Amino acid sequence: MTATTLALAKVRNIGIMAHIDAGKTTTAERILFFTGVSHRIREVDAGNTAMDYMKQERDRGITITSAATTCAWTVDDVEHTINLIDTPGHVDFTIEVERCLRVLDGAVAVFDGVAGVEPQSETVWRQADRYGVPRVCFVNKLDRAGADFHRCVEMVRSRLGAVPLVMQLPIGSGAGFEGVVDLVSGRAHVWSDDGYAVVDVPAGMAEDARRWRGTLIETVAAHDEEVMGLYLDGAEPSREQLHAAVRRLTIASAVTPVLCGSAFRNKGVQPLLDAVVRYLPSPPDVQPATGDEPLSALAFKIMNDRHLRRLTFVRIYSGRLVSRTSVLNSVKSRKERIGRIYRMHADRPEEIESAGAGDIVAVMGLKQTTTGETLCDEDHPVVLESMDFPDPVIEVAIEPKSKGDRAKLGAAIQRLSEEDPSFKVHDEDGQTVIGGMGELHLEILIDRMKEEFGVGANVGRPRVAYRETVRRRVDRADHTHRKQTGGKGQYAKVQISLEPIEDGYEFVNRVTGGRIPKEFIPSVDAGCQEAMRAGVLAGCEMTGVRVTLLDGDFHTEDSSELAFRVAGSMAFKEAVRRASPVLLEPVMAVEATTPEEYLGAVIGDLNARRGRVEGTGERAGARIVRALVPLSEMFGYVGQLRGMTSGRGVYTMQFDSYAEVPKAVAEKIVSAG
């Protein structure tokens, strides 16, 4: 190993992810306290947390934007650096989790010990699966009445499809929760008013501890050859051998270590930090690049700081990033100048002169670089895998109150669009329409426009972001664009076919023999994409279409890029009209929690909302209803649910898919539009 690789082996780039209210930010705050970054314990309810620093976060007690910090933790007399990102738990801000997981090496999944695996827990787990991010689980809130550690472990197995590796057992439950039994060391970690101590396993738990340790070793042996060899020989693996095997299996995502505690009560956090260092990967464990290679880094987040202005967060995969030097944005083929470099502690910057492989830092001075783009050495260009961002499912119209507000609104939209790739803007009949991932997402964006940018604006009612698509193939659609105005004319002829696909847009060029010059082919593509922005039914954006350019004609004098863009757009619209266009609506996965006596009323109400009940279950003494419901039917649901359940019902909702709108409903939407 080189010196750089050895240094990187002591780095952990991790995120904390969870369903909303599972205690994720509280866990992060306790990590900062126990690692010495914070000198006092901060609370979400008090509105003084370091990681939730935005006014909107503190007002609502939720995480809205991911926050990064750096701390250190010593295990077995070796100090390790932990770059930590606290991610949002609310479904409207899933994009923050997505882009953080793209650049992280490991994650801590936090679960509510009472609720277990909740809907957003599943969403972020699948995101981590997609990016191959190894995890450890922390079953939190075991001090609450109704907490059930083993039930939560079983939900990790059944609902997430993981192989949970129980590393600890809780000592007591509810108000009597005192600590944990470490199954590797065979010792108990106990917290009290007098502090933290490692003691013998309570006599009443000795048999359980022996049995669960046996299960731990058997599970590891089933996946690891070294421990399997010891197991077959009847030998016990040493503490070091077991730690090493669990680390190998965690990095390979073959198992997921499960720990437990109560972050709010300061119980279980130190062993969790030990597990982060022992089991989650360092940069060399998961990345082929090393610190000795030319620079490669990925920009994954833009933040507009009130003091430092525009900051670009980057993860460095190889080489060094040095302040006041030039780098290449390989996606845009543009040179960028690195200004100052900061190691961020939430919203508090610490200026550094350079950063190396494995570091996550914020950079000032990047003017062209946006989320998902690569920075690299000018002489060694490389493009790292980017990210895909979802389309909005809900929109509102917004208009400035005065001419002065118009300029402010434009600036606010530009800045917020840079920060949030899931925030979309378009003009519609002279109005500015903004789109996002949910009502809360748009509420926060509008609040920030008013608070941070001083925008005075009138805001319309939220509305559904419908889409349009086609249901049949059209083998041929022609359009000839011919215009003569006295001087040079415009001429282009285009022939296309059109067919439905599952999602998105595809363009295929099948023109041969120079019937359309190569330089005009992209213009036809651009014209079709332009027409996709407004469908023929209700003017909604289109999706799920493949266009094939079959033939065409041109004129040596009168043909131009503009002419072929117009011809492509018109041919596309003609094809769509003949391709059985239909309206699509966003369908949400809804999970409603209700007392047993109101179950029938809740199911009946969801059915009345054109919902399809997928199943029911039980959690912590309450009944759970899972259904797929059109978003258009879910406005005002929170009040209705509370009314029919005497204020005891709650629900979560996240985007599932787009589905065809029933004909009668579609006709009303089209006529209203």
Side-chain angles (χ1 to χ4, degrees):
M1 281 191 181
T2 66
T4 303
T5 305
L6 284 169
L8 283 176
K10 299 173 186 174
V11 173
R12 301 291 181 271
N13 291 313
I14 68 162
I16 300 186
M17 60 187 202
H19 186 93
I20 191 170
D21 288 335
K24 174 178 46 56
T25 297
T26 299
T27 302
E29 292 294 329
R30 296 309 187 267
I31 287 174
L32 298 186
F33 177 73
F34 287 116
T35 57
V37 174
S38 295
H39 299 295
R40 63 189 178 98
I41 292 177
R42 300 169 183 263
E43 304 293 358
V44 173
D45 290 344
N48 64 359
T49 58
M51 301 302 272
D52 285 351
Y53 57 85
M54 290 173 59
K55 179 181 183 297
Q56 291 79 9
E57 293 176 311
R58 291 180 170 179
D59 287 349
R60 293 166 176 81
I62 62 171
T63 302
I64 293 169
T65 184
S66 53
T69 192
T70 299
C71 54
W73 188 248
T74 299
V75 173
D76 298 330
D77 298 323
V78 178
E79 185 177 89
H80 292 74
T81 298
I82 300 175
N83 294 316
L84 172 70
I85 296 182
D86 179 28
T87 66
H90 194 286
V91 64
D92 284 13
F93 308 103
T94 298
I95 184 62
E96 285 288 323
V97 186
E98 181 88 12
R99 57 182 171 186
C100 291
L101 286 173
R102 168 64 183 83
V103 300
L104 292 170
D105 301 325
V108 175
V110 179
F111 300 100
D112 184 322
V114 177
V117 177
E118 299 173 272
Q120 184 66 359
S121 306
E122 295 186 60
T123 299
V124 297
W125 193 273
R126 304 302 174 211
Q127 288 174 304
D129 282 343
R130 184 159 61 249
Y131 290 110
V133 177
R135 280 138 278 177
V136 299
C137 296
F138 182 63
V139 180
N140 192 27
K141 299 191 176 184
L142 290 184
D143 60 308
R144 290 181 59 204
D148 189 333
F149 172 72
H150 294 293
R151 177 178 159 277
C152 192
V153 170
E154 186 51 41
M155 291 179 76
V156 169
R157 186 192 318 278
S158 60
R159 295 190 70 165
L160 302 179
V163 179
L165 189 67
V166 175
M167 309 295 295
Q168 298 174 343
L169 296 179
I171 302 173
S173 63
F177 175 68
E178 298 178 3
V180 301
V181 172
D182 184 336
L183 296 175
V184 176
S185 68
R187 301 280 284 167
H189 297 248
V190 178
W191 290 264
S192 67
D193 293 339
D194 297 327
Y196 165 50
V198 180
V199 299
D200 291 337
V201 175
M205 292 190 66
E207 183 55 37
D208 266 359
R210 279 192 294 271
R211 181 165 55 85
W212 278 97
R213 177 179 165 83
T215 301
L216 167 66
I217 293 173
E218 288 174 7
T219 305
V220 172
H223 296 83
D224 186 84
E225 290 185 7
E226 181 180 327
V227 177
M228 173 60 81
L230 294 170
Y231 184 77
L232 293 176
D233 290 340
E236 279 271 315
S238 68
R239 177 174 173 271
E240 291 72 22
Q241 287 173 318
L242 204 47
H243 281 317
V246 173
R247 177 177 178 77
R248 288 193 293 271
L249 297 179
T250 303
I251 291 172
S253 295
V255 302
T256 305
V258 182
L259 298 94
C260 57
S262 169
F264 181 71
R265 301 295 179 191
N266 307 320
K267 298 176 181 179
V269 179
Q270 296 98 325
L272 175 62
L273 281 163
D274 291 344
V276 164
V277 168
R278 285 193 174 116
Y279 307 137
L280 290 179
S282 66
D285 290 322
V286 293
Q287 297 296 337
T290 71
D292 300 318
E293 300 295 325
L295 173 69
S296 65
L298 185 73
F300 68 94
K301 176 181 169 69
I302 309 295
M303 182 178 87
N304 287 293
D305 183 89
R306 62 182 182 275
H307 302 301
L308 304 175
R309 305 203 66 177
R310 191 180 195 268
L311 292 176
T312 305
F313 283 78
V314 300
R315 160 70 194 268
I316 304 171
Y317 287 98
S318 61
R320 290 200 72 79
L321 193 67
V322 181
S323 62
R324 299 168 186 85
T325 60
S326 294
V327 297
L328 175 69
N329 179 325
S330 56
V331 175
K332 292 177 175 170
S333 299
R334 299 285 295 271
K335 283 186 180 181
E336 286 272 44
R337 179 77 175 172
I338 302 294
R340 295 177 175 177
I341 301 174
Y342 299 98
R343 196 178 303 283
M344 297 298 292
H345 301 284
D347 62 338
R348 293 185 295 109
E350 173 194 344
E351 187 172 356
I352 56 178
E353 286 302 309
S354 67
D359 279 333
I360 294 175
V361 294
V363 177
M364 183 190 285
L366 300 178
K367 297 179 180 178
Q368 305 291 330
T369 301
T370 56
T371 300
E373 295 178 348
T374 302
L375 301 175
C376 60
D377 184 274
E378 297 175 46
D379 298 324
H380 300 86
V382 64
V383 177
L384 300 171
E385 180 186 0
S386 186
M387 294 164 270
D388 295 322
F389 302 115
D391 291 326
V393 296
I394 191 169
E395 299 174 336
V396 296
I398 183 169
E399 61 179 19
K401 288 183 176 179
S402 66
K403 288 184 178 180
D405 288 319
R406 184 174 300 280
K408 292 179 183 178
L409 177 62
I413 286 174
Q414 180 183 352
R415 297 267 292 275
L416 293 174
S417 296
E418 289 176 349
E419 288 188 18
D420 186 350
S422 64
F423 170 45
K424 306 291 185 184
V425 184
H426 68 274
D427 290 325
E428 185 178 299
D429 299 328
Q431 283 187 313
T432 298
V433 177
I434 61 174
M437 302 311 298
E439 289 182 87
L440 180 61
H441 187 200
L442 290 181
E443 178 188 316
I444 296 296
L445 288 167
I446 292 166
D447 190 44
R448 290 188 63 193
M449 288 181 189
K450 295 175 180 177
E451 291 279 344
E452 296 176 28
F453 300 93
V455 176
N458 298 314
V459 181
R461 295 180 60 185
R463 65 190 194 189
V464 174
Y466 292 100
R467 295 284 181 269
E468 296 182 28
T469 192
V470 296
R471 286 292 182 240
R472 63 183 292 267
R473 177 183 173 87
V474 172
D475 290 323
R476 173 174 168 175
D478 302 85
H479 185 82
T480 301
H481 177 64
R482 183 184 287 110
K483 191 173 183 181
Q484 196 69 41
T485 56
K488 184 179 179 181
Q490 294 182 30
Y491 177 81
K493 182 178 180 181
V494 166
Q495 182 184 105
I496 64 171
S497 67
L498 183 143
E499 61 188 311
I501 57 175
E502 186 172 338
D503 192 24
Y505 166 81
E506 293 179 14
F507 181 83
V508 181
N509 175 29
R510 294 244 174 99
V511 172
T512 59
R515 298 282 293 171
I516 299 177
K518 289 182 179 179
E519 62 266 28
F520 294 143
I521 302 296
S523 298
V524 180
D525 183 10
C528 293
Q529 292 192 54
E530 189 175 286
M532 286 271 290
R533 295 184 193 129
V536 301
L537 292 176
C540 302
E541 186 175 336
M542 297 196 66
T543 187
V545 176
R546 177 186 292 126
V547 175
T548 302
L549 180 59
L550 304 172
D551 199 1
D553 191 21
F554 74 103
H555 187 279
T556 54
E557 294 293 330
D558 292 344
S559 289
S560 64
E561 292 180 358
L562 174 62
F564 273 97
R565 192 166 76 244
V566 173
S569 175
M570 299 305 292
F572 180 89
K573 290 178 181 178
E574 172 61 25
V576 168
R577 291 188 187 96
R578 293 159 40 199
S580 300
V582 294
L583 201 62
L584 302 176
E585 63 182 346
V587 175
M588 313 303 285
V590 176
E591 186 173 286
T593 304
T594 175
E596 172 76 39
E597 59 264 36
Y598 305 112
L599 179 64
V602 171
I603 290 176
D605 182 69
L606 290 172
N607 286 332
R609 294 172 184 268
R610 294 195 286 124
R612 186 175 78 244
V613 175
E614 299 281 280
T616 61
E618 190 172 346
R619 181 186 299 154
R623 295 303 300 270
I624 307 297
V625 182
R626 290 181 291 277
L628 296 176
V629 190
L631 175 60
S632 61
E633 304 289 342
M634 290 301 294
F635 292 114
Y637 181 63
V638 62
Q640 179 72 13
L641 178 63
R642 287 173 181 167
M644 75 176 80
T645 61
S646 299
R648 296 159 66 191
V650 295
Y651 82 103
T652 60
M653 179 175 73
Q654 57 187 317
F655 174 73
D656 181 80
S657 59
Y658 270 92
E660 186 173 335
V661 179
K663 186 176 180 181
V665 178
E667 288 174 353
K668 290 181 181 178
I669 294 169
V670 171
S671 62

